[in-house]
Amino acid sequence: MRYEALYERLRDILAGKLHVDPDRITYDATPEDIELDSLALVELSLVLETELGIRISEDDLAEAPTVGAVARLMAERSAAAGPS
């Protein structure tokens, strides 16, 4: 998937499943900006794997400084996994 599509999917997941206010989800938003705590990162990791087949540990998600960085990480992991 392309980066932009993954970013949009990430926004959908954050807003729909993790109940983050969509207006707060921007490329530059930090986990703190959108109130993602460690439990939410675990849930996000599980959702990414089950729904998109993208494995990203909660530790890797915690190290991503912004939502855009998470989307880039998703793109890297998706590309590394090969075509789906």
Side-chain angles (χ1 to χ4, degrees), residues 10-50:
L10 177 60
R11 284 193 68 191
D12 291 345
I13 290 168
L14 290 170
K17 297 201 180 296
L18 300 179
H19 309 291
V20 175
D21 178 354
D23 293 336
R24 297 174 70 189
I25 305 169
T26 66
Y27 285 104
D28 298 324
T30 67
E32 294 79 18
D33 292 339
I34 60 174
E35 300 178 17
L36 282 186
D37 60 16
S38 58
L39 184 59
L41 291 175
V42 169
E43 187 174 354
L44 178 58
S45 176
L46 292 171
V47 170
L48 292 176
E49 185 167 0
T50 58

